[in-house]
Amino acid sequence: MAKSYMGLILASQNTNDIRGLTKYRPIASIPFAGRYRIIDFSLTNLTRAGISNVGIVVPHSYVRSLRDHIRGGQFWDLNRKNGGIFLMHPTIDSEIGKSNVENFRSNLEYLYKSKEKNVVLCSSHLVANIDLRSIIDSHEKSGKDLTLVYKKIDKDIKTYRGSTSIILNENKEIKKFGVVVDSREETNISLEIKIIRKDLLIDFLMSGVQNGLVGDLNKFIEHNIHKISINLYEFTGYAKFIDSTKNYFRANKDILKKEIREELLLSNGGISTKINDTPPAIYKPDSKVSNSLIANGCIVKGSVKDSIIGRRVVIKKGATIENSIILQSCIIEEGVEIKNVIIDKNVTISRYQKVIGSEEFPLIIEKKSLLDG
Amino acid sequence: MRKKEMIAMLLAGGQGSRLVPLTLDVAKPAVDFGGKYKIIDFPLSNCTNSGIDTVGILTQYRPFLLNTHIGTGSAWDLNSMHGGTAILPPYTTEEGGAWYKGTANAIYQNIQYIDRYDPDHVLILSGDHIYKMDYNKMLKEHKKQGADVTIAALTVTLEEATRFGIMNVRDDNIIYEFEEKPEKPKSNLASMGIYIFKWSELKKYLIEDEKNSDSANDFGMNILPKMLDDGLKMIVHPFKGYWKDVGTINSLWEANMDLLDENNDLNLHTNDWKIYTSGEPKGAAYFGENAVVENSMVVDGCEVYGSIKSTVLFPGVIIEEGAIVKNSVLFPNVKIGRGVILDRVIVGENTNVLSGTHAGDTTIKVIPQNKTIK
């Protein structure tokens, strides 16, 4: 069944509100929860459902980080002879290369050549562990042209600000799409997961480009909803978009909660990611760790509280880290005090420095380039 | 088939009878070690780090988990188009079949596999030891000296020497005498069971040894003494660094404890000689509000709510609040319940210890795998 479905991941989200972490990478490859990259969720959701042909629509620049993470797709079992992984680059001469639609048009050949008849479309900035098999089942049973996955939100509404809202009529059919702005009014939001026939998607693309439409592919399908029949699927589990620094910080902190950790990282067989061959972490006699996630390869002599620590971070004696996210290979020297901070890869914080942000606005320390002295 | 300068043959059929019950379901090379590894990961990683891309793995005793672990060899970058790993169990021919009778017979039965690569030299390894070693350096020495056989050697104490194959050498490292487990050792140079042979010579001796029905078909007992008698050039390659035979429960425990010393010679935390292993990735380790972690090794996939001290945890281990675990090694997916106290214990894979105090003394206590202790 899943053999007639291919996956498409849109990895070219707007990075205006998460600039500090996207200077050298797309949202898709931002490290998450000490171990993963954000795109791991979409890649795992697709491949676990039996999909073995996945295209990724990559952004115009800074693809190196994503490419380094995905490699040949082997970590998601996507190193296949038939199908496998396909990075869809914008072509050099495209004038509007930043738009998904133009990117797609120039990569149409991949869509034509793929033997699957249907497409599961999703976005790389969604953090959710979803059993897509049951959504494909629902799509097949419905016999509709399009299945759209949504989530009803009635709390933490502000964390979904900017997401596409779905306005239903009294018969629970889609009336129109909007954008979440108000933080009080409960609503339904699109999780940007759509199942659609491939020929229909190609039609929409061709006619759209011809009629001068540019923008996000999701908007593009939404433009055509009145012409097609739609099946709605409600997802009730944990789902957050990583579209701002605040949401990134919140979603990482959510993993510290047992029930969210179990749902996101353990249910449905867990989330696959690139294997790094990092040794286990070492905790010395003076270390103190509480309510924290700490990845392989760390050497911990200081204290860590309410924080997420990535691979190969060294935390020296007397250093204290609280309510912070530290990405891989950072060195936190002796006596350092860190609170409410996100520290990107490869940064060394020198002895007895105090780095303190506010809980509402965590401070970001940007990644150190190996070329900087 | 492309010709290879040297291929490796890894003897991985060991039963590990002194590691029972941990070896009831798996061969010794597949026993867990060091928070996420299996013993065989060390020689396999050494091969790939030394630039050896063809490794025949000889299996016999309970091979299923070992075969699954090795898979295509991709975890060690050994899924090469020209070479890579090959699992070599005993097999039948038109004349019938036979188990591997001894280390030399195991290689004899796979002459055909080795010949496919037409190697100049063959490296013989065993899957029983924990160490990092550059086999390429050893090959360079072997070639430079024009040796027929090069044996990696470790300096041991004279008391320990009685348990090893001991080599007596001249000043230029040329061996003039080889004694298997001597009562009165004349030197403290012990064989590590790591040999490089000139393949053309070894092949001759293997065929000859097979014809001798009195032979135990063993490298240490038969092949090496015969070669020495015949005047072949045999040299030692001295090894310095961490090396441990984890053949007993106590030595397996000790080797795990060695890793907790920051200045241990094995040093898994360097990037220049990575040890690779296979297995699915798990999320970062989680520590609860009241967790206490001292001088311990914790790996991805663990959840610690209680207290651990001088302990090594493997993936998927859960320590409930109120549990106290000291000086212990907990294999994958072990669950330690509230109020349980462990000291000097190894707990086998998938076992739930839900109550009680369990402690070893001079010998380490083993709680077997796949059990529930209520």
Side-chain angles (χ1 to χ4, degrees):
Chain A
M1 176 203 72
K3 285 287 157 221
S4 60
Y5 290 78
M6 62 181 286
L8 276 183
I9 301 176
L10 305 182
S12 45
Q13 282 81 25
N14 181 320
T15 57
N16 285 342
D17 295 328
I18 190 165
R19 277 265 177 258
L21 294 167
T22 53
K23 206 167 158 187
Y24 304 102
R25 55 167 93 86
I27 292 176
S29 58
I30 298 178
F32 182 72
R35 181 69 172 90
Y36 303 94
R37 303 278 176 149
I38 292 167
I39 198 172
D40 291 342
F41 290 91
S42 295
L43 276 172
T44 305
N45 288 337
L46 289 169
T47 50
R48 204 174 40 202
I51 291 171
S52 57
N53 180 16
V54 176
I56 302 177
V57 183
V58 299
H60 207 49
S61 53
Y62 300 123
V63 187
R64 190 206 56 82
S65 153
L66 186 61
R67 185 184 284 283
D68 181 42
H69 181 66
I70 290 173
R71 302 287 176 100
Q74 61 268 43
F75 310 109
W76 302 270
D77 228 351
L78 283 172
N79 51 342
R80 323 269 17 132
K81 281 198 171 175
N82 295 308
I85 199 107
F86 188 87
L87 293 192
M88 304 169 80
H89 291 271
T91 51
I92 287 165
D93 60 353
S94 80
E95 285 172 13
I96 42 173
K98 277 182 182 164
S99 95
N100 281 326
V101 171
E102 177 60 18
N103 183 339
F104 257 131
R105 200 194 55 77
S106 49
N107 284 289
L108 264 184
E109 195 175 335
Y110 162 63
L111 280 181
Y112 275 123
K113 266 170 65 181
S114 295
K115 59 186 188 312
E116 295 84 358
K117 296 269 183 293
N118 306 287
V119 177
V120 179
L121 193 70
C122 51
S123 295
S124 73
H125 67 325
L126 177 70
V127 168
N129 183 338
I130 299 178
D131 175 17
L132 277 179
R133 218 176 275 260
S134 52
I135 301 177
I136 292 173
D137 277 347
S138 155
H139 176 72
E140 299 214 325
K141 270 184 205 138
S142 76
K144 302 278 174 67
D145 296 323
L146 172 76
T147 288
L148 201 151
V149 182
Y150 74 98
K151 180 176 168 60
K152 186 173 165 181
I153 51 166
D154 46 19
K155 56 180 184 194
D156 299 335
I157 295 167
K158 64 178 178 188
T159 68
Y160 296 96
R161 196 174 281 155
S163 297
T164 303
S165 60
I166 296 175
I167 296 105
L168 305 177
N169 66 19
E170 52 279 9
N171 298 328
K172 293 254 173 196
E173 290 160 344
I174 292 189
K175 218 165 94 192
K176 55 188 171 184
F177 294 94
V179 176
V180 179
V181 281
D182 195 285
S183 62
R184 288 156 300 172
E185 207 178 323
E186 65 164 63
T187 182
N188 297 310
I189 58 152
S190 164
L191 291 184
E192 301 190 8
I193 296 174
K194 297 181 173 77
I195 303 180
I196 187 168
R197 268 199 346 261
K198 188 172 75 180
D199 57 355
L200 207 54
L201 181 65
I202 291 172
D203 274 358
F204 288 170
L205 279 168
M206 301 292 260
S207 70
V209 171
Q210 197 156 319
N211 292 313
L213 277 168
V214 290
D216 185 275
L217 183 66
N218 281 298
K219 295 276 178 304
F220 210 78
I221 296 174
E222 286 155 15
H223 185 79
N224 286 287
I225 55 159
H226 297 295
K227 298 178 190 159
I228 54 176
S229 59
I230 296 174
N231 169 44
L232 283 170
Y233 183 97
E234 186 184 0
F235 177 71
T236 54
Y238 181 93
K240 295 275 175 173
F241 286 115
I242 308 298
D243 49 8
S244 68
T245 305
K246 270 191 200 175
N247 278 346
Y248 174 72
F249 196 75
R250 286 192 193 108
N252 268 284
K253 291 293 301 288
D254 281 344
I255 308 278
L256 295 178
K257 295 170 193 147
K258 191 175 170 67
E259 61 289 351
I260 295 178
R261 188 166 66 244
E262 281 175 357
E263 179 193 329
L264 263 186
L265 304 183
L266 299 177
S267 68
N268 299 323
I271 300 298
S272 303
T273 186
K274 180 180 164 187
I275 288 174
N276 285 291
D277 299 291
T278 315
I282 286 277
Y283 298 81
K284 300 315 290 181
D286 302 322
S287 70
K288 204 166 177 306
V289 287
S290 127
N291 189 39
S292 295
L293 278 168
I294 302 180
N296 275 352
C298 291
I299 299 175
V300 183
K301 296 180 188 174
S303 81
V304 182
K305 194 180 167 199
D306 304 328
S307 296
I308 292 94
I309 313 293
R311 285 179 298 108
R312 289 190 188 275
V313 171
V314 177
I315 301 168
K316 298 211 174 153
K317 215 167 163 178
T320 62
I321 296 166
E322 193 181 332
N323 201 43
S324 295
I325 298 168
I326 300 184
L327 304 189
Q328 68 222 52
S329 304
C330 287
I331 298 173
I332 312 299
E333 295 279 6
E334 244 171 74
V336 167
E337 194 182 332
I338 289 170
K339 194 172 175 181
N340 305 325
V341 180
I342 299 171
I343 305 181
D344 206 335
K345 283 167 67 170
N346 301 330
V347 172
T348 299
I349 308 285
S350 47
R351 296 172 66 185
Y352 300 101
Q353 289 268 4
K354 274 189 185 180
V355 189
I356 297 179
S358 78
E359 191 149 8
E360 187 65 6
F361 296 99
L363 189 68
I364 297 190
I365 310 286
E366 285 183 11
K367 178 180 167 181
K368 182 175 183 265
S369 158
L370 294 173
L371 301 175
D372 300 344
Chain B
M1 201 56 68
R2 289 185 190 172
K3 178 179 169 61
K4 302 280 175 184
E5 184 179 28
M6 179 166 83
I7 72 166
M9 297 296 276
L10 175 51
L11 298 160
Q15 187 172 344
S17 48
R18 290 173 301 159
L19 284 172
V20 168
L22 298 173
T23 47
L24 286 178
D25 309 318
V26 298
K28 182 174 165 188
V31 168
D32 293 302
F33 174 78
K36 66 182 283 193
Y37 307 100
K38 292 183 185 293
I39 298 170
I40 197 170
D41 293 338
F42 288 82
L44 281 177
S45 301
N46 287 341
C47 281
T48 198
N49 289 333
S50 302
I52 296 168
D53 63 5
T54 307
V55 184
I57 301 167
L58 298 106
T59 62
Q60 177 152 287
Y61 173 78
R62 293 207 183 268
F64 173 65
L65 278 173
L66 192 59
N67 295 353
T68 311
H69 180 69
I70 291 161
T72 61
S74 61
W76 301 269
D77 238 352
L78 288 169
N79 52 340
S80 150
M81 292 262 271
H82 308 281
T85 52
I87 304 267
L88 304 170
Y91 56 91
T92 60
T93 66
E94 64 284 358
E95 282 148 23
W99 296 109
Y100 293 149
K101 287 181 280 178
T103 50
N105 174 257
I107 305 297
Y108 169 82
Q109 290 200 38
N110 289 287
I111 286 175
Q112 204 185 353
Y113 167 79
I114 299 170
D115 273 343
R116 265 160 58 96
Y117 297 99
D118 187 22
D120 299 325
H121 310 282
V122 171
L123 171 68
I124 308 289
L125 300 169
S126 82
D128 297 352
H129 305 131
I130 304 293
Y131 65 106
K132 289 180 176 178
M133 183 174 174
D134 187 344
Y135 305 132
N136 192 40
K137 267 192 194 160
M138 183 172 166
L139 175 64
K140 272 189 186 157
E141 190 60 25
H142 174 79
K143 284 184 345 195
K144 195 175 143 201
Q145 300 272 353
D148 296 304
V149 189
T150 301
I151 303 178
L154 189 73
T155 311
V156 295
T157 64
L158 280 177
E159 290 139 45
E160 288 174 314
T162 54
R163 296 191 286 115
F164 288 94
I166 294 298
M167 291 160 301
N168 302 321
V169 298
R170 303 194 324 230
D171 287 345
D172 52 4
N173 276 345
I174 294 183
I175 301 169
Y176 66 86
E177 192 181 21
F178 189 92
E179 296 179 287
E180 187 67 25
K181 294 177 185 157
E183 275 177 41
K184 288 187 183 154
K186 292 181 211 136
S187 98
N188 55 1
L189 270 183
S191 163
M192 297 163 72
I194 299 166
Y195 317 113
I196 293 177
F197 289 98
K198 216 179 251 173
W199 174 233
S200 54
E201 287 296 336
L202 177 62
K203 188 175 165 183
K204 249 183 353 211
Y205 277 82
L206 289 175
I207 292 168
E208 201 182 309
D209 180 65
E210 189 60 22
K211 289 181 191 150
N212 177 1
S213 55
D214 294 334
S215 174
N217 307 115
D218 183 87
F219 279 108
M221 284 190 288
N222 310 102
I223 304 287
L224 293 171
K226 183 85 178 50
M227 285 178 160
L228 201 59
D229 279 354
D230 291 355
L232 266 61
K233 186 171 182 183
M234 212 179 267
I235 63 168
V236 295
H237 176 71
F239 171 80
K240 285 195 185 70
Y242 186 92
W243 183 85
K244 191 117 184 164
D245 179 357
V246 286
T248 64
I249 295 291
N250 271 29
S251 64
L252 179 65
W253 177 85
E254 270 168 27
N256 277 286
M257 292 298 124
D258 286 345
L259 297 173
L260 299 178
D261 177 0
E262 196 177 356
N263 302 316
N264 74 77
D265 290 334
L266 191 62
N267 195 358
L268 294 174
H269 281 252
T270 56
N271 253 332
D272 56 355
W273 200 269
K274 271 190 180 184
I275 302 302
Y276 301 93
T277 188
S278 68
E280 285 177 47
K282 299 206 169 180
Y286 177 76
F287 298 89
E289 296 276 355
N290 303 317
V292 177
V293 184
E294 265 182 46
N295 194 37
S296 292
M297 200 170 210
V298 182
V299 65
D300 283 355
C302 292
E303 305 229 333
V304 180
Y305 301 93
S307 154
I308 59 171
K309 198 174 171 180
S310 302
T311 286
V312 175
L313 305 186
F314 281 74
V317 169
I318 300 174
I319 312 280
E320 296 281 13
E321 200 156 333
I324 300 173
V325 181
K326 282 193 252 182
N327 309 311
S328 295
V329 181
L330 311 186
F331 281 180
N333 306 315
V334 163
K335 194 177 163 191
I336 306 300
R338 283 166 186 270
V340 171
I341 298 176
L342 299 183
D343 189 6
R344 297 173 69 82
V345 176
I346 297 177
V347 184
E349 207 166 327
N350 304 321
T351 282
N352 294 337
V353 184
L354 301 179
S355 71
T357 298
H358 308 269
D361 38 51
T362 49
T363 44
I364 300 303
K365 179 172 177 174
V366 178
I367 301 177
Q369 54 276 19
N370 305 316
K371 295 270 188 292
T372 299
I373 311 294
K374 285 185 182 159

